[in-house]
Amino acid sequence: MNRPVRRLLIIAYYFPPIGAAGSFRMAGFVRHLAEFGWEPTVITPLETPHPHDDSLETSPARVIRTRSIELSRLGRSSASAGRADKSPVAHGKSRRLSSAVRDGMFPDPQLGWYPFAARAGVRLAHAEPFDAVFSSSFPITAHLVGWRIHALSGLPWVAEFRDPWSDWIPKRPLRPAARRLELAIASRAARVVLPSTPLADYFSRRWGIAAAAVPHAADGSPVLPGTRPSPVPPVLTYIGSYYPHLHGSLDAVWRAVAEIRASGGSVPRIRWVGELPSSVGVELAAYGLQDTLEVSGRVPQEEAFRLLHSSSMLFACGLRASDSFASAATPSKLIEYVISGLPVLYIDNPAGDAARMLREQVGCHVVEFGDVTGARRALEQGLAGETYARETDQFTRRARTAELVQILNSTLPDR
């Protein structure tokens, strides 16, 4: 007997055509949910100040786009706040949230979306036979919408925290309030989702609940061994965001490349896909490497994939902090890196979860911050042009959607 189709109401501020990691994740879920018996309807803003990526694959799912009063465009600090929202790659979340807190935008600058999204969601929940509500943050406003729908409809509610919201809030004056709100959301939801098992464990202890994990995923296809020519000179590529005040130092990479040049080795082009922070340009100039730099700026996802796959090696780094949260965080770009089949250099605390995941993959090199010798050794091996066949089925968006569906199913009453 065929199982009846279940219906899911998704609350997601970040959704295509917004070009951001949160959009990629939500689009992946929406694209595959129907395969597992769930029909999604998405509530998302009609217009936001974020850059669009028109190359993002769209889904046949129903999408309800509501009005949103973008508070970052209003008031005495609209210029600075607006720039932060329009250039999310160049500014860290903590910096934007600090500005928002100073300007009274609590819990976040997207609060102006709440009345329109909540009204639309409550109306839908009363008019149509939905089985559950799923909200994903950042922004926390999405959870306020999900909470409202749950409270007025009785539908089970699953809340996903993609980002550590309260940890980015300045300690005073609003971090205690942020922690209380975060705990209230986690306690009220039927299930809570985090993007890694260590993060789920970390917040389970902090909130006193049993959080679940649905790790990051990717859509890319691998570069199979022996199927592409190696670039000459080799190309060392960084893709995505880098926040100097949050991320650890890349100094070991620059020094290692400078040593390779000084010894007469093959010097790679350093390709930066995204907005280059000015501090990184200063560091490269200090090592005489500015002539090796190639900056793409923000590009559509399909162009980012092309630049990734035409590289010799990929690199990234972890967070500057050394606390338990930083150790549990895994950048979503690392999944794209692993699926690519290309060599990877990752600078981070070797005891962290991201480092553990990479050590399980052939051709991935984990080097501690400041270890120039280790970085040089990794570069000399990785830039040689080899690619690797890796087992990556577990990292696909379809596989992660299956994990989310198990969580959704667990919230439903027995039928």
Side-chain angles (χ1 to χ4, degrees):
M1 185 173 66
N2 292 332
R3 187 177 63 184
V5 173
R6 291 161 173 165
R7 302 187 63 196
L8 179 65
L9 186 55
I10 297 176
I11 314 302
Y13 181 91
Y14 287 99
F15 195 75
I18 294 176
S23 288
F24 306 154
R25 183 172 173 91
M26 289 302 104
F29 288 150
V30 167
R31 192 160 56 247
H32 295 289
L33 275 166
E35 299 178 50
F36 301 99
W38 283 82
E39 178 185 296
T41 294
V42 182
I43 295 179
T44 194
L46 175 65
E47 182 183 0
T48 78
H50 301 83
H52 284 190
D53 182 349
D54 293 328
S55 75
L56 290 179
E57 182 180 345
T58 57
S59 166
R62 180 170 60 155
V63 180
I64 309 297
R65 299 189 183 273
T66 73
R67 285 186 60 199
S68 177
I69 298 173
E70 294 293 323
L71 299 180
S72 63
R73 291 171 163 168
L74 305 176
R76 58 184 173 80
S77 64
S78 59
S80 62
R83 282 196 301 269
D85 274 354
K86 291 179 182 177
S87 303
V89 169
H91 303 272
K93 284 188 177 70
S94 66
R95 187 170 298 171
R96 297 201 306 278
L97 282 170
S98 297
S99 175
V101 167
R102 286 196 301 271
D103 295 338
M105 301 179 194
F106 185 83
D108 45 57
Q110 290 74 31
L111 185 61
W113 179 49
Y114 172 82
F116 308 103
R119 185 181 305 122
V122 170
R123 185 183 299 121
L124 278 171
H126 283 144
E128 302 179 21
F130 286 95
D131 294 277
V133 180
F134 174 69
S135 59
S136 183
S137 68
F138 191 77
I140 289 295
T141 290
H143 291 323
L144 300 184
V145 175
W147 189 343
R148 180 68 172 173
I149 296 169
H150 159 72
L152 295 183
S153 69
L155 290 173
W157 168 38
V158 176
E160 174 183 70
F161 290 85
R162 299 188 318 272
D163 297 298
W165 172 61
S166 67
D167 293 79
W168 301 120
I169 294 285
K171 290 185 178 180
R172 289 184 174 81
L174 289 178
R175 182 178 288 183
R179 289 271 172 97
R180 288 193 297 270
L181 177 56
E182 201 172 53
L183 176 59
I185 291 167
S187 301
R188 184 62 62 93
R191 297 294 303 273
V192 173
V193 175
L194 279 300
S196 76
T197 297
L199 278 178
D201 293 343
Y202 172 80
F203 282 103
S204 292
R205 292 190 298 270
R206 187 157 117 182
W207 294 333
I209 64 170
V214 178
H216 292 302
D219 287 320
S221 57
V223 177
L224 299 177
T227 61
R228 67 161 179 88
S230 180
V232 179
V235 177
L236 178 64
T237 297
Y238 186 102
I239 292 183
S241 57
Y242 177 82
Y243 308 132
H245 62 295
L246 293 179
H247 285 104
S249 173
L250 290 167
D251 184 73
V253 179
W254 313 144
R255 289 177 61 187
V257 173
E259 286 187 5
I260 291 172
R261 167 175 275 182
S263 66
S266 179
V267 180
R269 281 186 292 140
I270 298 172
R271 174 181 289 165
W272 196 279
V273 182
E275 300 293 336
L276 182 77
S278 59
S279 61
V280 173
V282 170
E283 292 171 2
L284 288 167
Y287 287 106
L289 298 174
Q290 64 270 33
D291 61 316
T292 70
L293 181 63
E294 167 194 320
V295 181
S296 73
R298 290 186 60 89
V299 296
Q301 187 184 41
E302 62 182 21
E303 175 64 6
F305 280 148
R306 186 192 69 78
L307 292 170
L308 181 153
H309 287 297
S310 63
S311 304
S312 306
M313 187 175 193
L314 310 169
F315 74 110
C317 72
L319 298 176
R320 181 186 300 272
S322 58
D323 56 21
S324 56
F325 170 78
S327 296
T330 298
S332 59
K333 77 183 74 179
L334 291 185
I335 307 303
E336 303 281 3
Y337 284 15
V338 168
I339 286 181
S340 75
L342 293 168
V344 176
L345 168 59
Y346 187 58
I347 310 295
D348 197 11
N349 173 4
D353 188 59
R356 177 202 57 75
M357 183 270 290
L358 289 176
R359 280 196 298 270
E360 295 174 353
Q361 302 294 329
V362 62
C364 294
H365 307 265
V366 177
V367 174
E368 195 164 4
F369 290 115
D371 183 0
V372 180
T373 301
R376 179 173 177 177
R377 185 183 306 116
L379 289 173
E380 289 173 337
Q381 293 177 19
L383 293 172
E386 188 172 359
T387 52
Y388 302 91
R390 298 174 179 140
E391 293 294 329
T392 59
D393 288 349
Q394 62 179 310
F395 299 127
T396 64
R397 297 201 187 276
R398 185 182 185 278
R400 297 312 190 200
T401 303
E403 295 173 15
L404 175 63
V405 164
Q406 289 185 342
I407 295 167
L408 293 172
N409 289 342
S410 74
T411 70
L412 302 180
D414 293 334
R415 297 184 177 181

